[in-house]
Amino acid sequence: MISVAQPLLGRAEEEAVLNVIRSGQIAQGKQVEVFEKRFAEVCGVEEAIAVSSGTAALHLALLAHGVGVGDEVITTPFSFAATANVILLVGATPVFVDIDPLTYTLDPALVEEALSSRTKAIMPVHLYGHPCNMQPLMALAKKHSLAIIEDACQAHAAMIAEQPVGSFGVGCFSFYATKNITTGEGGMVTTNDSTLAERIRMMRSHGQRERYRQVIMGHNLRMTDMQGALGVVQVAKLETLTEKRIANAHYLTRRLQGVVQTPITLPGYRHVFHQYTIRVPKNRAAWIQQLQMRGIGTAIHYPIPIHKQPFYQEHPTLWRIGSQTANLSVAEAAAHEVLALPVHPALSEDDLATIAREVLQLCD
Ligand SMILES: *Cc1c(COP(=O)(O)O)cnc(C)c1O
């Protein structure tokens, strides 16, 4: 079976974790610190703060900006629910704006009409590893004094014109098992704002700067040193793993383009292919079943847009759509048609050939 996602962990990771266990210092410590430094370098930023998950990174980024009750945050409905859930968790209102049909990321042209006097932040998602178009969002944020919180949970080392994601606004990354690099569970916040970084460092540990002296409100959202050690090894491989993903994606596109709708990369963008997503306008369920029978795992990211999730449908006063005349039809259509094929760096040449061959056969 060719799995749709697979963590690539080897001897170096085993050694690194064993060393931490043998050291007896297993909570947040030296390894987390090293991981933070290396990850900040990857993103070209001054500060990186490791936390327990991507969700924790997003949550703390909002809290550290003071986003809370009565505030609005503009985001996309076509993402993992965590993106909007953290907005609700701080007591603010998610404002959903539709996506670009080609990149599946927030459509910047629709953001201005969604602004209100309560808007505090814009939270774009670099979905599937393709960066959201940041330049117009940065201009809007500057004009209206808004924070930009990038959900870069799928986009480690993705770039626009050589500028890494996570350096446009405040970046939030995930190291969950299926992500481009992994620590099992884990997250990171990246920023050039040292005051904000200091606040997030305190907030991940009960608002303490030093032990048992609490100065602001906080939580326990720390990363363990076992995870930090995994991160140190994985981040050193990030470039190689990313190149492999991109090469795999190029192979699939070469074989499949013109037959199915393959993913695009905008000029000047570095798409890091967390997912390789094609469109299947008809009979998607049958495709999934057929590919499964032929030994190829697939996934749908995401079958239900966030605003259509049962919880969001049951609580319509907790969120709103960008404007009275707007709708989320592009996201809704995408949810019915997208299909992720395996693209991860553990795939062999045979695997890739098999995937292409079987998909082409389904099109005959
Ligand atoms: C994975 C993911 C998250 C959440 O990360 P966790 O580490 O699972 O908490 C948030 N947003 C997106 C787009 C993700 O893919």
Side-chain angles (χ1 to χ4, degrees):
M1 188 75 197
I2 303 172
S3 63
V4 73
Q6 188 176 310
L8 253 182
L9 302 171
R11 290 293 286 274
E13 283 85 352
E14 287 176 20
E15 277 299 313
V17 173
L18 271 177
N19 285 341
V20 172
I21 292 171
R22 287 172 182 146
S23 80
Q25 310 278 322
I26 57 174
Q28 182 192 303
K30 183 70 194 160
Q31 295 302 314
V32 167
E33 205 177 302
V34 175
F35 182 32
E36 290 176 336
K37 282 217 172 67
R38 306 259 161 91
F39 201 79
E41 283 164 21
V42 166
C43 296
V45 295
E46 295 294 318
E47 310 260 6
I49 306 100
V51 292
S52 53
S53 69
T55 306
L58 291 163
H59 193 180
L60 286 177
L62 286 170
L63 287 172
H65 279 100
V67 177
V69 176
D71 297 333
E72 290 183 346
V73 179
I74 293 175
T75 194
T76 164
F78 198 54
S79 183
F80 182 49
T83 309
N85 283 348
V86 290
I87 300 169
L88 292 178
L89 280 170
V90 301
T93 303
V95 175
F96 293 117
V97 165
D98 212 356
I99 56 169
D100 176 281
L102 294 178
T103 65
Y104 304 104
T105 59
L106 191 64
D107 185 345
L110 304 175
V111 170
E112 187 144 36
E113 65 174 16
L115 297 174
S116 79
S117 58
R118 295 164 54 183
T119 312
K120 282 285 152 57
I122 307 174
M123 194 189 276
V125 180
H126 306 304
L127 198 76
Y128 305 148
H130 191 297
C132 184
N133 181 1
M134 293 305 292
Q135 193 274 327
L137 295 182
M138 305 286 287
L140 273 179
K142 194 167 178 204
K143 184 167 156 202
H144 299 278
S145 304
L146 308 173
I148 294 219
I149 297 169
E150 302 173 63
D151 181 337
C153 288
Q154 304 187 354
H156 321 69
M159 298 185 199
I160 306 172
E162 314 273 304
Q163 183 179 344
V165 302
S167 70
F168 292 90
V170 170
C172 298
F173 293 84
S174 167
F175 308 111
Y176 179 67
T178 57
K179 300 296 158 90
N180 289 20
I181 56 172
T182 182
T183 60
E185 297 274 6
M188 193 78 80
V189 186
T190 57
T191 179
N192 283 312
D193 181 336
S194 57
T195 312
L196 195 82
E198 173 68 0
R199 210 174 301 140
I200 294 170
R201 274 182 217 289
M202 287 196 280
M203 283 177 156
R204 78 174 159 187
S205 198
H206 289 295
Q208 304 176 119
R209 187 175 286 123
E210 56 210 90
R211 191 172 279 191
Y212 306 138
R213 196 182 124 75
Q214 184 190 355
V215 284
I216 58 174
M217 195 53 213
H219 204 305
N220 172 5
L221 298 170
R222 294 183 302 261
M223 176 181 273
T224 70
D225 239 28
M226 277 124 15
Q227 294 165 310
L230 280 176
V232 172
V233 179
Q234 287 267 296
V235 77
K237 296 180 179 174
L238 175 60
E239 204 42 45
T240 316
L241 295 176
T242 303
E243 292 290 342
K244 187 79 189 351
R245 278 183 186 272
I246 294 171
N248 290 351
H250 285 171
Y251 173 85
L252 290 174
T253 295
R254 222 166 33 243
R255 296 285 313 271
L256 301 177
Q257 72 187 349
V259 183
V260 295
Q261 189 182 323
T262 51
I264 66 138
T265 305
L266 293 180
Y269 283 61
R270 188 190 203 203
H271 186 336
V272 296
F273 291 98
H274 173 61
Q275 302 295 347
Y276 184 91
T277 302
I278 62 169
R279 294 284 283 239
V280 183
K282 279 190 296 239
N283 303 327
R284 183 176 61 176
W287 273 53
I288 294 168
Q289 205 184 8
Q290 284 296 318
L291 289 169
Q292 175 80 24
M293 276 164 47
R294 298 157 190 223
I296 299 165
T298 58
I300 299 171
H301 305 278
Y302 292 88
I304 308 174
I306 301 173
H307 67 288
K308 293 282 194 188
Q309 292 288 346
F311 176 83
Y312 284 77
Q313 287 292 302
E314 283 159 26
H315 299 86
T317 59
L318 294 182
W319 55 277
R320 70 175 179 87
I321 293 178
S323 80
Q324 297 251 302
T325 53
N327 63 47
L328 304 171
S329 58
V330 181
E332 288 166 13
H336 280 116
E337 298 182 2
V338 290
L339 185 66
L341 302 176
V343 75
H344 58 80
L347 295 174
S348 67
E349 278 181 30
D350 277 356
D351 292 337
L352 286 161
T354 302
I355 295 161
R357 187 185 65 234
E358 296 300 338
V359 171
L360 289 171
Q361 257 180 32
L362 283 178
C363 297
D364 271 348

